[in-house]
Amino acid sequence: MGFSQTHLLGIEPLSPADITSILDLADQYVDLNRRDVKHSDALAGLTQINMFFENSTRTQASFELAGKRLGADVMSMAMQASSIKKGETLIDTALTLNAMHPDLLVVRHPHSGAVDLLAQKVNCAVLNAGDGRHEHPTQALLDALTIRRAKGRLHRLSIAICGDIAHSRVARSNILLLGKMENRVRLVGPPTLMPSGIGEFGVEVFDDMREGLRDVDVVMMLRLQRERMDGGFIPSEREYYHRFGLDAEKLSFARPEAIVMHPGPMNRGVEIDGEIADDINRSVIQEQVEMGVAVRMAAMDLLARNQRARPREVLV
Amino acid sequence: MTAILFTNARLIDPEAGTDAPGSLLIRDGMIVSEADTQGADERATVIDCKGKCLAPGIVDIGVKVCEPGERHKESYRSAGLAAAAGGITTMATRPDTLPATDSPEVLEFVARRANKAAPVNVLPMAALTKGRAGHEMTEIGFLMDAGAVAFTDCDHVITDNKVFSRALSYARSLGALVIAHPQDPGLSQGAAVTSGKFATLRGLPGVSPMAERMGLDRDIALLEMTQARYHADQITTARALPALERAKVNGLDITAGTSIHHLTLNELDVADYRTFFKVKPPLRSEDDRQAIIAALRDGLIDIISSMHTPQDEESKRLPYEEAASGAVALETFLPAALRLYHSGDLELPMLFRAMALNPAKRLGLPGGRLSPGAPADLVLFDADAPFVLDRFKLLSKSKNTPFDGARMQGKVLATYVAGIAVYEAT
């Protein structure tokens, strides 16, 4: 049972075997990335286009580096500045790019489902780099790899995801992935930042940090967007930090060896205390960034292999 | 004198509540009693229905025809042909045109176009407020004189209670029917689906089903105040039903409709962001769908509408949140409704009560029945004939149906308006 997908649009369609295949290959790429000569020819001759319809520095850099380390020809396009502003539809943009014969398309878009739509119209592998509040599969995969390396396993762990679950694609992908791998997932945050129907996802929901963190193995913090802070969803930044910001006292309720994660970029003093974020005994935030490159290399490598095995169809 | 005698028919009579074999005589565009037709019979054309269903033609309240403004999406000609092919003999058309049908002049244009181009009866509705903006009421009196059968701002909710209560009072003094869209616009703002597990899984903004009940509660309070004639265009959630029932028990002049899509589809049909399933209000949970079917059976919900809303491909081939709402339904209305018959949920007379008799009554029309004196607006159909729907074969200019590729049962064989065949299956 290998990796069976032709696109990486989300965690939802992946099987546990798919997830394990990506993580196993990513482990090998971690080793490659730590060598002096960090290069493979796995994607040599292939073209990777990054289309970011939404601002991103970290994810875009990570995908770009991943492609380059595997020998692909990488082009990044900042789509906010391009033809989309001139009224071209997403599908026209996709068809235009498709005509340039890319092999891998990496797409981030502010609307949920936009990457699925695009994937229907092109004949190359599409990777979702985050769509609206739907999914961000490579983030969940890099989190999984980080957990697996730190804890030695990726099952039967107790994991708390804390903060703005409602608007977070990272949370959705993580809930799905951690559930598929048979972990206990807890969600912690104020009810205004919990999505509807969350009780049906097989998770436990807490609105108290201390209760929610009790005896967990992993504490996963989420970023709180600035625009949600003033009165709309929570009363104020300082009340949020008081009740839901991760500090040493709240973290003391978790297991002593519990790790602290954050997808970045962090708001120090809003959702996480600066000292915790920098504590090398607890925080694995830098490892997450490192794992990100390796996981993206693995995902693109596997997708490219499956694409090569598939007969090419011509879209008109 | 032209007369047609339909023999060997399975007569669906919503008024009598019967579904039985029989024959039906029509003459000069009217249904006539067979008893008082001695001597005229030899000149009647005889049509052998071969045991197929003969029912009153469908009366569809809330059809969007995109004239004036967006004729490329649907014209009176294309909508009329589609309606005839779908067994719909009367369309009450929506005023959410460009510009809105909010003045006697626009209404007269619509009526003139409709009469010239559509083979079925077209009864235009007018906006309740100017430009459907919710600020000033339209010339309700003049519009009625020009032929407006009802007044509605369609999916625009009039948020200013003072404006809405005055419009309701004024409409009441003229006996005008007001049709509203019960929805709390604050809660539903920006929503693309119904809140819940599916919305969260897809990462789409959702609206709580409570928004519909809140909108209906508000409207009912204003009805108690004004005693106006009121119809809720679409009730789609279980939560809204107790309020509706109380209002009816309390004797308010209120009726409620629902759409064929909310009766036959649920939120999970959206699946991987299929925008042809994006309608307004959004598709609901299966529990809600079942509750609405039960309410229809109990007569709490009176009317089923197609809520025919043409959209071109460009408005639908977009990310789900950005895509336009609405689905075409004139030609799929009857086969979709027959799903409820084949599933054992509703008998045919009950369906035609909600699709023909009740809407005709609510609009004050003589149709929707098989009794002598009623207009000979009829649909002859085979309730069982199976087919797979191909959207590109639809007569509507827009092809945005959620039933593309669906296996359906029920084919219209012929449609008659005032005794004249306006559609015959080949």
Side-chain angles (χ1 to χ4, degrees):
Chain A
M1 280 267 287
F3 181 75
S4 60
Q5 310 286 321
T6 49
H7 299 298
L8 182 62
L9 301 177
I11 298 297
E12 198 186 356
L14 301 186
S15 66
D18 288 330
I19 293 167
T20 305
S21 302
I22 298 175
L23 299 185
D24 289 349
L25 183 59
D27 264 329
Q28 297 176 29
Y29 282 128
V30 174
D31 296 339
L32 176 76
N33 288 339
R34 287 178 180 175
R35 286 191 215 145
D36 290 340
V37 179
K38 310 168 182 60
H39 194 81
S40 140
D41 285 328
L43 300 182
L46 301 187
T47 305
Q48 172 193 342
I49 301 182
N50 300 332
M51 297 167 72
F52 279 65
F53 294 90
E54 197 181 73
N55 273 327
S56 162
T57 314
R58 308 156 65 99
T59 307
Q60 189 172 335
S62 183
F63 268 110
E64 208 169 313
L65 197 55
K68 286 179 172 164
R69 288 209 175 139
L70 294 178
D73 297 312
V74 185
M75 180 175 78
S76 287
M77 301 175 69
M79 298 305 294
Q80 308 104 297
S82 84
S83 50
I84 225 77
K85 282 263 158 70
K86 297 173 197 157
E88 189 177 61
T89 67
L90 180 63
I91 288 181
D92 286 336
T93 308
L95 292 177
T96 304
L97 283 176
N98 195 50
M100 300 176 189
H101 299 292
D103 301 283
L104 294 153
L105 266 186
V106 178
V107 186
R108 169 170 287 192
H109 198 281
H111 287 301
S112 302
V115 184
D116 290 64
L117 179 66
L118 205 140
Q120 292 163 18
K121 305 292 172 188
V122 298
N123 49 12
C124 64
V126 176
L127 289 97
N128 182 358
D131 64 324
R133 34 172 120 157
H134 175 220
E135 283 226 45
H136 191 354
T138 56
Q139 179 70 43
L141 287 162
L142 75 88
D143 288 341
L145 184 62
T146 309
I147 294 171
R148 196 172 82 166
R149 290 172 70 102
K151 291 284 160 196
R153 67 177 198 271
L154 187 60
H155 58 273
R156 292 171 63 193
L157 292 166
S158 184
I159 297 159
I161 306 176
C162 311
D164 184 359
I165 315 285
H167 301 96
S168 174
R169 53 194 173 213
V170 175
R172 277 172 183 69
S173 288
N174 266 312
I175 291 167
L176 292 169
L177 188 150
L178 296 169
K180 279 177 199 273
M181 304 312 280
E182 300 185 1
N183 296 282
R184 290 184 65 173
V185 178
R186 297 170 164 206
L187 304 179
V188 191
T192 46
L193 295 177
M194 282 294 160
S196 60
I198 196 66
E200 295 170 56
F201 280 79
V203 295
E204 292 174 272
V205 179
F206 294 85
D207 56 14
D208 180 289
M209 274 294 263
R210 292 169 186 83
E211 283 300 309
L213 295 191
R214 194 178 295 279
D215 297 330
V216 299
D217 301 295
V218 177
V219 181
M220 210 179 257
M221 300 305 297
L222 296 173
R223 176 180 167 76
L224 183 68
Q225 303 288 335
R226 288 265 160 204
E227 60 267 26
R228 316 234 195 266
M229 288 179 200
D230 334 303
F233 291 87
I234 53 163
S236 68
E237 192 179 314
R238 61 183 189 179
E239 179 161 328
Y240 185 81
Y241 181 64
H242 177 71
R243 294 192 58 207
F244 297 99
L246 186 68
D247 55 21
E249 190 266 329
K250 293 189 193 97
L251 184 58
S252 71
F253 285 79
R255 282 175 184 270
E257 70 280 10
I259 55 170
V260 174
M261 307 176 75
H262 193 296
M266 284 182 282
N267 295 308
R268 287 169 188 261
V270 179
E271 70 256 355
I272 191 164
D273 180 74
E275 275 184 36
I276 301 264
D278 298 331
D279 180 354
I280 51 163
N281 295 317
R282 307 304 294 270
S283 163
V284 293
I285 295 169
Q286 296 309 314
E287 280 84 342
Q288 285 175 275
V289 179
E290 185 190 358
M291 295 309 123
V293 178
V295 149
R296 286 167 182 130
M297 290 165 80
M300 290 196 289
D301 186 359
L302 290 169
L303 286 173
R305 289 182 205 174
N306 286 353
Q307 283 287 328
R308 282 198 192 100
R310 202 175 70 136
R312 284 237 141 177
E313 55 202 281
V314 180
L315 289 188
V316 278
Chain B
M1 285 220 284
T2 54
I4 304 175
L5 180 65
F6 294 93
T7 60
N8 194 19
R10 177 177 167 189
L11 294 177
I12 311 297
D13 186 340
E15 207 173 15
T18 53
D19 173 353
S23 56
L24 187 81
L25 183 67
I26 64 174
R27 188 193 298 131
D28 295 335
M30 308 286 275
I31 296 171
V32 289
S33 155
E34 279 189 68
D36 57 37
T37 56
Q38 313 291 326
D41 280 9
E42 61 248 37
R43 266 175 294 161
T45 313
V46 175
I47 294 178
D48 180 359
C49 299
K50 295 176 182 158
K52 304 301 183 208
C53 298
L54 187 65
I58 296 168
V59 178
D60 192 3
I61 300 182
V63 175
K64 166 94 181 260
V65 179
C66 308
E67 280 188 74
E70 294 174 296
R71 243 175 92 179
H72 65 287
K73 290 187 178 178
E74 192 83 289
S75 68
Y76 273 99
R77 177 156 184 77
S78 60
L81 293 173
I88 294 165
T89 51
T90 300
M91 301 190 283
T93 56
R94 301 208 309 250
D96 51 348
T97 47
L98 287 174
T101 310
D102 61 355
S103 69
E105 292 77 13
V106 180
L107 194 91
E108 273 160 16
F109 164 81
V110 165
R112 199 165 58 241
R113 281 286 307 148
N115 278 328
K116 214 166 86 182
V120 301
N121 305 314
V122 177
L123 302 170
M125 303 194 285
L128 185 61
T129 66
K130 288 175 188 159
R132 300 194 300 131
H135 302 307
E136 303 159 57
M137 68 178 90
T138 52
E139 293 172 312
I140 297 174
F142 281 158
L143 284 160
M144 286 183 84
D145 292 344
V149 287
F151 292 82
T152 179
D153 279 0
C154 302
D155 60 340
H156 286 188
V157 176
I158 302 175
T159 49
D160 188 326
N161 292 332
K162 206 162 243 174
V163 170
F164 195 29
S165 66
R166 284 178 185 151
L168 284 167
S169 299
Y170 193 85
R172 183 190 179 267
S173 72
L174 292 166
L177 176 67
V178 173
I179 300 181
H181 183 70
Q183 193 69 222
D184 181 85
L187 269 188
S188 61
Q189 197 200 2
V193 289
T194 303
S195 63
K197 183 182 180 185
F198 180 77
T200 295
L201 206 51
R202 287 289 170 271
L204 292 170
V207 56
S208 165
M210 198 60 90
E212 182 173 288
R213 178 182 137 189
M214 289 170 67
L216 185 65
D217 276 339
R218 191 275 310 240
D219 289 2
I220 288 171
L222 292 176
L223 289 187
E224 282 184 27
M225 219 168 108
T226 59
Q227 301 294 316
R229 294 182 65 209
Y230 174 96
H231 175 70
D233 65 350
Q234 299 178 72
I235 295 296
T236 58
T237 61
R239 294 257 196 189
L241 295 173
L244 177 63
E245 190 168 17
R246 272 197 307 279
K248 285 191 162 186
V249 169
N250 290 343
L252 295 177
D253 191 355
I254 181 172
T255 49
T258 194
S259 92
I260 189 62
H261 298 119
H262 290 91
L263 282 171
T264 52
L265 303 169
N266 70 28
E267 58 184 351
L268 300 182
D269 286 306
V270 171
D272 289 325
Y273 305 99
R274 293 156 74 186
T275 56
F276 281 10
F277 290 78
K278 186 176 181 183
V279 291
K280 202 172 175 184
L283 292 174
R284 307 301 194 180
S285 68
E286 179 62 13
D287 287 349
D288 278 329
R289 187 181 82 89
Q290 292 294 344
I292 296 305
I293 292 173
L296 196 62
R297 203 163 37 222
D298 299 342
L300 181 57
I301 287 180
D302 308 90
I303 292 169
I304 311 174
S305 292
S306 72
M307 296 311 287
H308 179 78
T309 305
Q311 297 289 1
D312 54 19
E313 304 284 305
E314 298 313 309
S315 346
K316 284 287 188 183
R317 281 171 50 178
L318 292 169
Y320 199 84
E321 276 172 74
E322 291 188 318
S325 295
V328 291
L330 292 171
E331 288 155 89
T332 50
F333 191 5
L334 182 58
L338 288 171
R339 283 185 169 185
L340 300 171
Y341 162 67
H342 291 296
S343 64
D345 285 310
L346 292 168
E347 292 300 317
L348 288 177
M350 184 69 93
L351 270 179
F352 278 86
R353 235 183 130 75
M355 297 196 300
L357 180 64
N358 286 345
K361 274 192 193 162
R362 196 53 171 152
L363 296 177
L365 308 174
R369 37 173 76 85
L370 291 184
S371 26
D377 294 349
L378 300 167
V379 54
L380 178 66
F381 65 98
D382 180 341
D384 300 312
F387 67 100
V388 175
L389 187 93
D390 174 359
R391 70 188 184 106
F392 293 108
K393 291 196 175 141
L394 294 177
L395 298 172
S396 279
K397 279 193 187 177
S398 294
K399 314 293 182 193
N400 56 308
T401 172
F403 294 113
D404 186 36
R407 280 191 277 264
M408 307 189 94
Q409 268 181 284
K411 270 187 178 168
V412 174
L413 303 172
T415 305
Y416 300 86
V417 173
I420 294 165
V422 293
Y423 172 80
E424 279 172 308
T426 44

